Amino acid sequence: GESVGLHLPTLSVQEGDNSIINCAYSNSASDYFIWYKQESGKGPQFIIDIRSNMDKRQGQRVTVLLNKTVKHLSLQIAATQPGDSAVYFCAENSSGSRLTFGEGTQLTVNP
Amino acid sequence: DGGITQSPKYLFRKEGQNVTLSCEQNLNHDAMYWYRQDPGQGLRLIYYSQIVNDFQKGDIAEGYSVSREKKESFPLTVTSAQKNPTAFYLCASSIQGKGEKLFFGSGTQLSVL
């Protein structure tokens, strides 16, 4: 079946640096993508989303980039802070009625 | 505040026992979902419901049951047939159930005694 996966399971950065979290997807028909942040013992929180008719979307300190040619999605976090430490999940709308989630990347921000 | 409320936060199950996890939303969303999350893993869909009195199996429905008698409520029962129930359970809702943004509850950690 179709799947969403991540290039790296863990990412460690220094406070103040920029972080880039990557995600590969395999369903070329997916038209909606979303990033969530999950802190330990809590439910996932929405960060940012993007539709397939866009290549880039910016939020507050975050940017999502979509490369449909190579089926790649990335989340960029500017000036990473200790509070950004969490697991980040990407998800795609591959079936029309549900989201398919990737395995997640654990981001650790070192002070 | 509008949102999704899951209860309890922690739940313990004895061998052979059925337990029910509660999920309530006041967002007026049509669709509701249950996911299971194992340590260090992603989210796997158990059941979802796009409308009252209707629900569909997800990827790992065996050993679980649900009901959707009210729009606001989508309880999940973990039956004795689920041999490995220890996990973090997440409930979510969305406006229409057409693959759009999900709003998640805070989760229930289920453990076996």
Side-chain angles (χ1 to χ4, degrees), chain B residues 12 16 20 22 28 33 40 45 61 64 68 98 106 113:
Chain B
F12 297 91
T20 298
S22 171
N28 199 33
Y33 307 77
L45 183 64
Y64 301 97
R68 187 85 187 277
K98 295 184 178 179
S106 57
L113 290 176

Side-chain angles (χ1 to χ4, degrees), chain A residues 53-99:
Chain A
N53 60 352
M54 302 174 68
D55 297 323
K56 178 180 179 179
R57 192 170 186 212
Q58 289 184 290
Q60 186 175 10
R61 277 201 311 118
V62 295
T63 300
V64 55
L65 299 177
L66 176 62
N67 186 330
K68 295 180 285 292
T69 302
V70 295
K71 301 195 193 87
H72 184 268
L73 187 71
S74 68
L75 176 70
Q76 300 179 359
I77 305 173
T80 314
Q81 303 168 0
D84 294 326
S85 293
V87 176
Y88 290 81
F89 291 99
C90 65
E92 64 173 331
N93 171 0
S94 59
S95 69
S97 62
R98 47 187 280 188
L99 294 176

Side-chain angles (χ1 to χ4, degrees), chain A residues 32 34 36 38 41-46 49 51 87 89 92-93 96-99 101-104, chain B residues 9 33 35 37 40-43 45 48 50 58-59 88 90 97-102 104-106:
Chain A
Y32 175 72
I34 189 167
Y36 285 93
Q38 186 180 24
K42 298 183 179 180
Q45 298 173 284
F46 168 80
D49 57 4
R51 295 208 169 273
V87 176
F89 291 99
E92 64 173 331
N93 171 0
S97 62
R98 47 187 280 188
L99 294 176
F101 285 83
E103 291 299 317
Chain B
K9 179 67 174 174
Y33 307 77
Y35 288 89
Q37 187 175 32
Q41 301 295 317
L43 306 177
L45 183 64
Y48 65 104
Q50 293 173 296
D59 301 319
F88 190 53
L90 287 160
K98 295 184 178 179
E100 69 276 16
K101 180 167 67 177
L102 296 178
F104 285 90
S106 57

Side-chain angles (χ1 to χ4, degrees), chain B residues 24-63:
Chain B
E24 303 278 333
Q25 56 101 356
N26 60 6
L27 299 169
N28 199 33
H29 286 174
D30 285 335
M32 297 187 75
Y33 307 77
W34 275 105
Y35 288 89
R36 170 179 171 142
Q37 187 175 32
D38 292 284
Q41 301 295 317
L43 306 177
R44 293 187 290 169
L45 183 64
I46 305 173
Y47 269 99
Y48 65 104
S49 168
Q50 293 173 296
I51 195 169
V52 175
N53 292 323
D54 189 36
F55 49 83
Q56 288 79 41
K57 293 182 179 180
D59 301 319
I60 55 166
E62 186 174 352

